[in-house]
Amino acid sequence: MSDSQPAPARRFYPQLEGLRAVASLGVLTTHVAFQTRVTQWPVLGEILGRLDLAVALFFALSGFLLWRPYAAAARDDGAPRPAVRRYLRHRFVRIWPAYALVVVAVLALLPQARGASATVWLANLTLTQVFVPLTLAPGLTQMWSLSVEVAFYLLLPVIGFALYRVRGAAARRRIPIIVGVAIVSLGWTWATRLFALPAGVEARNWVLGYLPWFAVGLVLSEIAAALAIGRLDRRSRAVRLGADRRVMLVVFVVAYGLACTPIAGPVGLGDMTHLAYVAKMVLGAVAAFAVLAPLVLSDGPFVFLDSRLMNALGRWSYGIFIWHLAVLSVVFGLFGIPMFDGHFVSVWLLTVIITVALSAASYAFVEEPLRARLAAREKRRAAEVPADEPTPERAGVTAAGRTAPPPPPR
């Protein structure tokens, strides 16, 4: 196939499974670095501490995968409209059961979290902790970003409805609109001053503050959809630059390097100015784009990310994210290692080993069985529908825009 031909629509990007593993281990590593106090080391401390930008990668991945049905439907009148109720069912089954298990285990068993109030229980079980003051419990503090992501899941169909008429020949306007909204959302940090919020609630941690990171995925999804039907030339300068790993590596190094400086605010905990917050959002978006673009705009090969190990870790990445901080809290006491006193390598290794084991069990006994049960239920229901009545299952479209049968979801 020549470069001028349309790219075939991608069903699944195996390299993104490996990328999820990288992102989840990045979040784990930055928390280990903070709790072993290596973030105070010169240079390396800033690099490890700023691995919290792995959250930007997670948000961009969600935006890319979940927006694909909307991007495809805008350019193909034959594509079915995304089924919102089905999408929400899949998101709920994918996220909440395994998450609820962690919340119950931590609040019931972790010494630092035992005795939590009913408010803390309710806020964490409903993933509303970013809206309820002082409900980020020990062992669960990383869940603020999952709360933001769930808010994005609910917002996504609204965005899709708002852009529904920007389709066909007008679909080329979708990317400028998305980028424009992301730029406007950078003003959210100043808008939060208008709210009289209770102490302990940070409105910057609401989904509107992180739209630039999600927008990276939406934009790349729009580009991929345009390439798939030939409305965008693979030889265009923008596509070639985005697909060029060497160029994107330079962009990533520059963006990440700047994010490690005071321009993006303090590494770890600390007050952040409005300008530093904007800088972190912009640099995080650029870094996420630089990592994700070559993986979805070029054909590879991606030997490391496509490896069996990285794909396995990618399947377990959600478990790694939700379990690692509870495990880290236990490692210090269990192995007699003092907190905030070095021992980064040993603490990291112990945390990774135990977390990966728990995550593999979570995937095998909770996440995958529930996903399979939901898929089987939908298959039975589709079989009961008259043959002339269309269903999302017969169209072969999943919540992430894949064609059936779906790969293991995140």
Side-chain angles (χ1 to χ4, degrees):
M1 182 177 70
S2 68
D3 288 343
S4 61
Q5 291 178 304
R10 297 293 296 272
R11 294 186 174 189
F12 178 48
Y13 295 78
Q15 62 270 26
L16 298 189
E17 288 290 289
L19 187 60
R20 288 193 185 108
V22 171
S24 62
L25 291 174
V27 173
L28 180 153
T29 300
T30 199
H31 287 142
V32 173
F34 177 74
Q35 295 200 23
T36 55
R37 200 170 281 177
V38 302
T39 53
Q40 296 184 2
W41 295 356
V43 184
L44 182 59
E46 282 83 0
I47 293 173
L48 294 175
R50 193 49 83 199
L51 283 173
D52 61 350
L53 285 186
V55 174
L57 197 52
F58 269 133
F59 288 177
L61 275 167
S62 291
F64 175 76
L65 292 171
L66 298 177
W67 188 246
R68 287 195 294 166
Y70 295 93
R75 291 167 173 82
D76 182 1
D77 290 335
R81 294 183 63 177
V84 175
R85 284 185 295 179
R86 185 175 186 276
Y87 155 78
L88 292 175
R89 283 197 304 270
H90 277 255
R91 287 294 89 198
F92 177 83
V93 169
R94 184 67 188 96
I95 296 298
W96 193 81
Y99 166 78
L101 177 62
V102 175
V103 171
V104 171
V106 168
L107 296 182
L109 302 176
L110 191 67
Q112 303 96 307
R114 279 205 301 255
S117 67
T119 301
V120 171
W121 275 86
L122 183 61
N124 280 273
L125 285 173
T126 57
L127 279 161
T128 56
Q129 55 268 65
V130 297
F131 305 106
V132 184
L134 306 176
T135 52
L136 290 173
L140 299 171
T141 54
Q142 83 278 27
M143 303 301 189
W144 71 266
S145 64
L146 190 58
S147 180
V148 172
E149 183 145 348
V150 167
F152 173 74
Y153 295 161
L154 298 175
L155 183 62
L156 189 75
V158 178
I159 300 172
F161 177 79
L163 289 180
Y164 180 72
R165 294 188 180 278
V166 187
R167 53 191 298 110
R172 64 183 183 278
R173 301 174 187 162
R174 293 168 67 91
I175 291 178
I177 291 173
I178 292 169
V179 172
V181 171
I183 292 173
V184 170
S185 73
L186 293 173
W188 175 251
T189 180
W190 286 280
T192 58
R193 295 186 300 179
L194 304 176
F195 305 127
L197 298 173
V201 176
E202 176 54 80
R204 284 173 171 174
N205 286 340
W206 296 355
V207 66
L208 293 178
Y210 290 92
L211 285 182
W213 292 359
F214 289 107
V216 168
L218 270 62
V219 167
L220 286 171
S221 188
E222 293 285 338
I223 294 173
L227 285 171
I229 64 169
R231 289 192 179 175
L232 183 62
D233 194 334
R234 292 175 64 87
R235 297 173 299 180
S236 67
R237 185 177 182 85
V239 174
R240 286 190 294 107
L241 285 176
D244 192 316
R245 299 187 201 182
R246 290 172 296 183
V247 171
M248 289 297 103
L249 177 61
V250 172
V251 172
F252 171 78
V253 169
V254 171
Y256 192 86
L258 288 173
C260 292
T261 69
I263 191 176
V267 172
L269 302 177
D271 293 332
M272 183 177 290
T273 67
H274 294 301
L275 289 177
Y277 181 87
V278 169
K280 184 176 180 180
M281 291 301 104
V282 171
L283 292 172
V286 172
F289 182 90
V291 172
L292 190 54
L295 300 182
V296 300
L297 299 181
S298 65
D299 296 326
F302 308 100
V303 177
F304 174 68
L305 294 179
D306 282 352
S307 67
R308 293 177 64 182
L309 172 63
M310 294 307 295
N311 268 261
L313 290 173
R315 290 192 295 273
W316 305 333
S317 61
Y318 180 57
I320 293 172
F321 176 80
I322 59 179
W323 277 108
H324 79 272
L325 208 51
V327 171
L328 179 58
S329 300
V330 171
V331 160
F332 291 103
L334 189 62
F335 293 94
I337 302 172
M339 289 183 68
F340 304 110
D341 193 31
H343 307 283
F344 170 77
V345 174
S346 57
V347 171
W348 186 88
L349 285 172
L350 289 168
T351 303
V352 167
I353 292 169
I354 299 172
T355 299
V356 168
L358 281 172
S359 303
S362 173
Y363 182 82
F365 298 111
V366 180
E367 300 168 46
E368 179 60 15
L370 289 174
R371 186 203 68 81
R373 183 176 299 180
L374 177 60
R377 176 175 174 268
E378 291 183 340
K379 185 177 180 179
R380 287 194 303 269
R381 291 183 62 184
E384 296 169 0
V385 176
D388 59 347
E389 184 174 334
T391 67
E393 290 80 6
R394 286 183 182 146
V397 178
T398 71
R402 307 182 183 104
T403 54
R410 177 179 164 229

